[in-house]
Amino acid sequence: AQSVTQPDIHITVSEGASLELRCNYSYGATPYLFWYVQSPGQGLQLLLKYFSGDTLVQGIKGFEAEFKRSQSSFNLRKPSVHWSDAAEYFCAVGATWAAGNKLTFGGGTRVLVKP
Amino acid sequence: GAVVSQHPSRVICKSGTSVKIECRSLDFQATTMFWYRQFPKQSLMLMATSNEGSKATYEQGVEKDKFLINHASLTLSTLTVTSAHPEDSSFYICSARGQLNTEAFFGQGTRLTVV
C-alpha cells in the first residue's frame, strides 16, 4: 500500500526567506506525486505534480519540487515566501494517473509566515 | 483549470437527520468523483470513489449505508449523510476528474456540524 509522510507538522518562516517542505512516500512502482495547498476552511489547490520526465517540477505561485527516487522524496521549495503563502500544504501520491486521483495524502504541514 | 463547486459550504443539522452535499463540475464532464473527509487539523481521508452511472466504491471502514453517494450525471455527485450524529461532524471535500484530465479538481469543501 502507498503511504506519504510529511515529517514537519508546523514550519514558521520569515517573509522573504526560503521555504522547504519535506515529503517522503512509500510506493512499489513509479509514483504520481502531487503538492496541494489549502487555506483555512477551503478546498485544495494544486501547486504542482510529477508524473514522469524532468525530476525538477515547476508549479504555480513560484513553487517547485524535486523528485528523488533514491530518497523516495518529493520536497517542495520556494525561494522567497510571501505572507499569502501561510496555509496548510499536503503532499499526495497516486498509483496511476487514471487512478491517480484516488490519492493518499500526507498529514500536512502548516506554514506560518512571520512579518 | 476546471471548476468544481460544492454546496453548501457550511451546514448545521440536528442529530438523527440527514443532510445532502452536492458536488458539481461546472465546465467539464466528471466521469469520476471522489469524496474525502477531513477531521480538524488532520489530513484528508478518501471515503469513496464514484463513476457516473455506477455504484460508488467505498474505502474500508466507511459505512455505505450511512454515507450514500449518487453520481447520476456527468456533472453532479451527491453525498448524503444519513441519520447524522455529532461524530459525523467534519469537513467533507469532493474532487472530480474528467476522462481527459490527468488530475482531479477539488471543490471548496463543506463544513458539517451535527448538534
Side-chain angles (χ1 to χ4, degrees), chain A residues 69-89:
Chain A
R69 185 187 298 274
S70 61
Q71 298 178 19
S72 297
S73 69
F74 189 56
N75 295 347
L76 181 71
R77 297 192 293 256
K78 184 168 183 177
S80 176
V81 299
H82 186 261
W83 63 267
S84 60
D85 293 323
E88 185 95 23
Y89 291 79

Side-chain angles (χ1 to χ4, degrees), chain B residues 37-58:
Chain B
R37 181 174 183 177
Q38 184 180 29
F39 289 104
K41 299 186 179 181
Q42 294 189 29
S43 189
L44 286 78
M45 300 298 292
L46 180 67
M47 299 174 66
T49 303
S50 72
N51 292 295
E52 186 266 337
S54 304
K55 287 186 178 180
T57 302
Y58 289 80

Side-chain angles (χ1 to χ4, degrees), chain B residues 35-109:
Chain B
W35 286 95
Y36 293 85
R37 181 174 183 177
Q38 184 180 29
F39 289 104
K41 299 186 179 181
Q42 294 189 29
S43 189
L44 286 78
M45 300 298 292
L46 180 67
M47 299 174 66
T49 303
S50 72
N51 292 295
E52 186 266 337
S54 304
K55 287 186 178 180
T57 302
Y58 289 80
E59 296 299 302
Q60 191 172 11
V62 177
E63 299 176 62
K64 58 181 67 177
D65 293 331
K66 181 167 188 61
F67 298 100
L68 300 179
I69 292 172
N70 184 281
H71 191 168
S73 79
L74 284 171
T75 59
L76 174 65
S77 175
T78 60
L79 167 67
T80 301
V81 183
T82 62
S83 187
H85 290 284
E87 56 266 30
D88 298 324
S89 299
S90 189
F91 194 58
Y92 293 87
I93 306 178
C94 72
S95 68
R97 185 177 70 83
Q99 197 166 20
L100 300 179
N101 297 131
T102 58
E103 67 194 71
F105 301 92
F106 283 81
Q108 312 96 306

